[in-house]
C-alpha cells in the first residue's frame, strides 16, 4: 500500500513539474553570477521615468515585467592579436575586396556582395551589433589586419568567432581564412587564390554539413604548398546550421601538433597534425616503381575451368526451360470464337479526321463484354510449366589454378620526394583575417572575432560576448510546453506520444486507487470479525472457544502460554465418555445403574469446565486487547 501511495505522489509531482517548467525556464533566477554582473537591468533614464510614474499613480497589482537587458561590449584582456566586436557600428579597419574572381562568368566574377554592421533581426540583446552578409548568390570578400603577425613558436594558436544563420542556410560557407604574411599581400585584391595559412569554420551545401579545418603545409624539399584537411567530425552538425541560434566556433592548435575543434565550448573534433590529416603531412618512405610492368605470363586467376571435365552424354543443352502442361484441361464455357477485345461500338469518328493524312479510322479497342461471365475468350492454350529435364548450357566445373601467382603489384622503391617534418605546427606566419564567401542565403551574422595564444584570455572573451548572448537567448526561449507544441506541429506523430504519456499515468492512478480501497476494506472486515469474536468471549460464549482455540492469539504476548494441545486432548476424552453414557442409557435393564454413574460424570465435567474457564479467563486477562475491552 505504501508503495502505491509513493508512486501516486511521484506521478503527481511529475505532472506538477511539467506545468511549472515554462515559468521556471522563462524566469531562471539561478543564472551564473558572472552573467548577472553583465546584465544592466535598466538604464538611468528608465529608472527616473519609472520613479515619476510611481509618484503620480499608485502601483497596480499586476505581474512584474521581464527585466530589460542591455548589451555591454566585451573588452579584450590579456595577450591577443585580433579582437573585433563591431560595436562601433562601422567597418573601420576592414577592407572590402575590389578584385574579380578568376575562372568565373563576368556577371558573378566581381566581389560585389554587400556587408553591413547591424543588430540581428531577432536580437535578444539590444545594442549588440555584428558583421552581416547581406547579399545572396554573390561573391563576398572582406579582411582586416592583425595587431601584429602571429608566428608559430611554442605558444598555441586560438581563434574563435560567432556565427548565426538567421535565415537558415541552403548552400554557402561561414568560414574564415588566416591570410599568410607575404610581401605581396594586398587586401584590396583579396580573392580565393590569396595565400592563407589556415581556413576554419562551418560550410554547407545540400545535406553535406561540414566544419572545416584546413592548413597549408610547405614542402621542405620543393617549397610548394599543399592543403591538409582534418578528418570529418563524428558529431552531428545539423543543428548548428538550422536552429537559428548564435554558436561559438573555436580552433585550438597546440605546439605538440595536437588540435581541437569546439562548438559552444564543446569539443566536436580533435586529433594530431601528423596522424589525422588528409593527405598525410609526411609522404611515404617508399613508393611503387612507375617503370615496373606486369609480365605477360603472370597468371592472376585463382580458379580455372577443369580441363579434364567432360560433358555427360545425357546432357541436353537444347531442352527448353518451360514446356506446355500436358495435364491441363480447357475450362468449361471457354469462348474460343469470341475475341478478347472488340471495337468500341459507341465510338464516333472525329469530324476533323483526315483519312489521307491519318489513315483509315478504327474504333478504339475495349474488353469484350461477352468475356466477363466466361472463364476466357480466344484460342485456348495450355499453360507453361518448368521443364524437369532442363539443365541449360553445360560448363566445366571450376578448380584451383595450379599456375596462380597472386595479384601482381609493382615493386617498391625509395621515394625520391620523401621528407619528414615532425613539427607541422610551425606553419607560415599570418598577418590578416579574411572572409571570402559565396552563399545562396543572406543575413549570415558574424561577431566577436578573437585570436590569441592564451586559452584563459579566449575563455574570458567568450564569456563576455557569447556567454551573455547565450544567457539572453536562453531567457527568451519558450517553456517546455511551448516547445512540445512546436515540435508536434513539425512532427504530428508526436501527438500520439503525448496522449499516451498523459493517459497511461492516469490509468495507473485509477487502477491503484481502486485496488487500494478493496484491500483496505478486506482488512477492516478481518479486524471487525476479530473484535466480534473477542466480544463474544467476554459475553460468556465459551462454546466458540471450546470448538477452536486460536493459537495465534497466544503469540501476541510474551507471557507464559498454556498448553493448548492438553486442552484439546481433554475435550476429546470428554466426548468419548459422553458417547459411552448415551450407550448406557439405551439399556432398559441398567437405568438405575446408569443414573448413578451419570451423576459423578456430570460433576467431573462441571469441574473440568470450570477449570477450563478459569484458564481462559486468566489468558484473556493477560492479553492487552482483552484489558482494553474490559476498560471500555
Amino acid at each position: 500500500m505504501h508503495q502505491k501511495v509513493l508512486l501516486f505522489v511521484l506521478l503527481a509531482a511529475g505532472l506538477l513539474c511539467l506545468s511549472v517548467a515554462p515559468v521556471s525556464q522563462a524566469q531562471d533566477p539561478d543564472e551564473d553570477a558572472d552573467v548577472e554582473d553583465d546584465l544592466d537591468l535598466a538604464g538611468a533614464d528608465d529608472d527616473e521615468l519609472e520613479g515619476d510614474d510611481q509618484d503620480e499613480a499608485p502601483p497596480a497589482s499586476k505581474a512584474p515585467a521581464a527585466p530589460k537587458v542591455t548589451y555591454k561590449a566585451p573588452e579584450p584582456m590579456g595577450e591577443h592579436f585580433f579582437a573585433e566586436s563591431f560595436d562601433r557600428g562601422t567597418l573601420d579597419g576592414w577592407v572590402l575586396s575590389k578584385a574579380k574572381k578568376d575562372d568565373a562568368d563576368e556577371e558573378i566574377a566581381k566581389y560585389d556582395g554587400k556587408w553591413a554592421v547591424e543588430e540581428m533581426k531577432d536580437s535578444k540583446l539590444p545594442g549588440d551589433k555584428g558583421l552581416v552578409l547581406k547579399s545572396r548568390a554573390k561573391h563576398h570578400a572582406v579582411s582586416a589586419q592583425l595587431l601584429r603577425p602571429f608566428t608559430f613558436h611554442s605558444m598555441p594558436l586560438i581563434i574563435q568567432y560567432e556565427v548565426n544563420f538567421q535565415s537558415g542556410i541552403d548552400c554557402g560557407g561561414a568560414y574564415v581564412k588566416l591570410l599568410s604574411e607575404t610581401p605581396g599581400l594586398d587586401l584590396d585584391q583579396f580573392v580565393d587564390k590569396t595565400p592563407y595559412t589556415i581556413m576554419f569554420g562551418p560550410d554547407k551545401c545540400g545535406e553535406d554539413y561540414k566544419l572545416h579545418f584546413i592548413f597549408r603545409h610547405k614542402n621542405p624539399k620543393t617549397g610548394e604548398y599543399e592543403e591538409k584537411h582534418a578528418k570529418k567530425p563524428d558529431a552531428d552538425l545539423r543543428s548548428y546550421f538550422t536552429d537559428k541560434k548564435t554558436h561559438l566556433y573555436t580552433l585550438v592548435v597546440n605546439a605538440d601538433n595536437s588540435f581541437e575543434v569546439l562548438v559552444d565550448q564543446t569539443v566536436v573534433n580533435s586529433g594530431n597534425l601528423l596522424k589525422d590529416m588528409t593527405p598525410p603531412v609526411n609522404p611515404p618512405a617508399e613508393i611503387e616503381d612507375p617503370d615496373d610492368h606486369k609480365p605477360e605470363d603472370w597468371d592472376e586467376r585463382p580458379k580455372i575451368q577443369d580441363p579434364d571435365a567432360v560433358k555427360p552424354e545425357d546432357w541436353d543443352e537444347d531442352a527448353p526451360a518451360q514446356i506446355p502442361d500436358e495435364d491441363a484441361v480447357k475450362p468449361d464455357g471457354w469462348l474460343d470464337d469470341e475475341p478478347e477485345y472488340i471495337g468500341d461500338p459507341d465510338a464516333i469518328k472525329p469530324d476533323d479526321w483526315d483519312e489521307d493524312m491519318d489513315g483509315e479510322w478504327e474504333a478504339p479497342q475495349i474488353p469484350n463484354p461477352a468475356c466477363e461471365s466466361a472463364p476466357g475468350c480466344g484460342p485456348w492454350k495450355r499453360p507453361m510449366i518448368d521443364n524437369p529435364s532442363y539443365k541449360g548450357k553445360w560448363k566445366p566445373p571450376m578448380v584451383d589454378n595450379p599456375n596462380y601467382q597472386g595479384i601482381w603489384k609493382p615493386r617498391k622503391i625509395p621515394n625520391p620526394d620523401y621528407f619528414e617534418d615532425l613539427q607541422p605546427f610551425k606553419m607560415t606566419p599570418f598577418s590578416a583575417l579574411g572572409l571570402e564567401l559565396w552563399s545562396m542565403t543572406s543575413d549570415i551574422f558574424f561577431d566577436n572575432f578573437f585570436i590569441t595564444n592564451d586559452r584563459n584570455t579566449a575563455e574570458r572573451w567568450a564569456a563576455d560576448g557569447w556567454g551573455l548572448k547565450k544567457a539572453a537567448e536562453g531567457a527568451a526561449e519558450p517553456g517546455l510546453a511551448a516547445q512540445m507544441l512546436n515540435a508536434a506541429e513539425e512532427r504530428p506523430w508526436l501527438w500520439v506520444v503525448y496522449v499516451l504519456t498523459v493517459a497511461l499515468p492516469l490509468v495507473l492512478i485509477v487502477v491503484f486507487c481502486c485496488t487500494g480501497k478493496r484491500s483496505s476494506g478486506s482488512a477492516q472486515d478481518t479486524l471487525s470479525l476479530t473484535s466480534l469474536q473477542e466480544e463474544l468471549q467476554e459475553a460468556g460464549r465459551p462454546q466458540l472457544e471450546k470448538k477452536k482455540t486460536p493459537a495465534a492469539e497466544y503469540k501476541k504476548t510474551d507471557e507464559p502460554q498454556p498448553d493448548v494441545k492438553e486442552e484439546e486432548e481433554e475435550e476429546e476424552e470428554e466426548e468419548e465418555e459422553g458417547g459411552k453414557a448415551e450407550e448406557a442409557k439405551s439399556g432398559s435393564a441398567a437405568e438405575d445403574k446408569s443414573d448413578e454413574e451419570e451423576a459423578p460424570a456430570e460433576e467431573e465435567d462441571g469441574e473440568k469446565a470450570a477449570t477450563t474457564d478459569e484458564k481462559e479467563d486468566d489468558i484473556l486477562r493477560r492479553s492487552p486487547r482483552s484489558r482494553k475491552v474490559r476498560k471500555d
Side-chain angles (χ1 to χ4, degrees), residues 28 82 92 106 144 163 206-207 229 250 300 309 318 330 388 442 464 491 529 560 583 604 619:
D28 189 359
F82 188 82
D92 293 344
E106 185 67 23
V163 178
E207 292 300 317
H229 296 248
T250 307
E300 294 181 339
D318 299 329
K330 183 172 69 172
S442 59
D464 295 341
R491 306 173 184 86
L529 181 59
E583 292 177 357
E604 292 177 358
I619 293 171

Side-chain angles (χ1 to χ4, degrees), residues 473-484:
E473 291 178 351
E477 283 185 354
L480 179 61
Q483 293 179 5
M484 294 173 65

Side-chain angles (χ1 to χ4, degrees), residues 219-221 282-287 414-422:
N219 189 316
K221 279 195 170 184
N282 296 316
E286 292 184 336
I287 61 172
N415 186 359
D417 299 326
Y418 173 74
F419 63 85
E420 187 177 25
D421 183 2
L422 298 180

Side-chain angles (χ1 to χ4, degrees), residues 198-239:
I198 289 178
M199 189 176 89
F200 168 67
D203 187 16
K204 184 246 181 183
C205 197
E207 292 300 317
D208 189 10
Y209 300 89
K210 297 179 180 178
L211 184 53
H212 292 298
F213 167 40
I214 305 171
F215 78 95
R216 295 172 72 243
H217 179 259
K218 183 178 180 180
N219 189 316
K221 279 195 170 184
T222 63
E224 297 179 355
Y225 286 88
E226 185 179 21
E227 291 184 351
K228 309 295 181 181
H229 296 248
K231 63 180 181 180
K232 189 175 181 179
D234 295 331
D236 186 9
L237 306 177
R238 176 189 292 268
S239 62

Side-chain angles (χ1 to χ4, degrees), residues 306-335:
D306 186 1
D308 301 329
V310 179
K311 183 176 71 172
E313 295 181 357
D314 59 346
W315 191 285
D316 186 4
E317 293 184 349
D318 299 329
Q322 288 189 326
I323 58 175
D325 185 4
E326 299 297 335
D327 298 331
V329 180
K330 183 172 69 172
D332 295 336
W334 188 280
L335 304 178

Side-chain angles (χ1 to χ4, degrees), residues 172-413:
Y175 45 80
V176 299
K177 290 183 177 181
L178 306 181
L179 304 182
S180 302
E181 184 183 18
T182 59
L185 179 60
D186 184 2
L187 299 185
D188 286 335
Q189 300 299 315
F190 176 34
V191 293
D192 59 328
K193 295 182 180 180
T194 301
Y196 68 89
T197 300
I198 289 178
M199 189 176 89
F200 168 67
D203 187 16
K204 184 246 181 183
C205 197
E207 292 300 317
D208 189 10
Y209 300 89
K210 297 179 180 178
L211 184 53
H212 292 298
F213 167 40
I214 305 171
F215 78 95
R216 295 172 72 243
H217 179 259
K218 183 178 180 180
N219 189 316
K221 279 195 170 184
T222 63
E224 297 179 355
Y225 286 88
E226 185 179 21
E227 291 184 351
K228 309 295 181 181
H229 296 248
K231 63 180 181 180
K232 189 175 181 179
D234 295 331
D236 186 9
L237 306 177
R238 176 189 292 268
S239 62
Y240 305 133
F241 294 83
T242 58
D243 60 5
K244 298 182 181 180
K245 294 182 179 180
T246 303
H247 295 287
L248 177 68
Y249 295 89
T250 307
L251 171 65
V252 181
V253 185
N254 298 306
D256 61 355
N257 298 321
S258 64
F259 69 87
E260 289 181 335
V261 177
L262 302 92
V263 180
D264 298 343
Q265 297 182 333
T266 300
V267 177
V268 297
N269 195 8
S270 62
N272 190 283
L273 299 178
L274 289 171
K275 301 177 182 178
D276 300 304
M277 307 302 290
T278 304
V281 171
N282 296 316
E286 292 184 336
I287 61 172
E288 294 179 349
D289 186 359
D291 299 328
D292 191 14
H293 301 286
K294 182 175 70 172
E296 295 181 358
D297 58 348
W298 191 277
D299 196 343
E300 294 181 339
R301 300 173 300 168
K303 296 280 187 180
I304 60 173
Q305 293 181 350
D306 186 1
D308 301 329
V310 179
K311 183 176 71 172
E313 295 181 357
D314 59 346
W315 191 285
D316 186 4
E317 293 184 349
D318 299 329
Q322 288 189 326
I323 58 175
D325 185 4
E326 299 297 335
D327 298 331
V329 180
K330 183 172 69 172
D332 295 336
W334 188 280
L335 304 178
D336 295 275
D337 299 331
E338 289 288 343
E340 189 175 358
Y341 292 92
I342 62 172
D344 187 0
D346 299 330
I348 301 175
K349 183 175 71 173
D351 296 336
D352 58 349
W353 187 273
D354 188 353
E355 293 188 356
D356 295 336
M357 297 292 296
D358 303 326
E360 184 180 357
W361 181 82
E362 294 181 359
Q365 298 290 303
I366 62 172
N368 190 347
C371 300
E372 293 181 358
S373 59
C377 293
W380 180 79
K381 296 181 180 180
R382 297 180 184 275
M384 303 297 288
I385 61 174
D386 293 336
N387 185 2
S389 302
Y390 174 74
K391 296 183 179 180
K393 187 174 180 61
W394 182 83
K395 294 180 182 179
M398 304 297 289
V399 296
D400 293 336
N401 184 3
N403 300 322
Y404 176 66
Q405 296 175 272
I407 303 300
W408 182 86
K409 293 181 180 179
R411 62 175 177 268
K412 296 285 187 178
I413 61 173

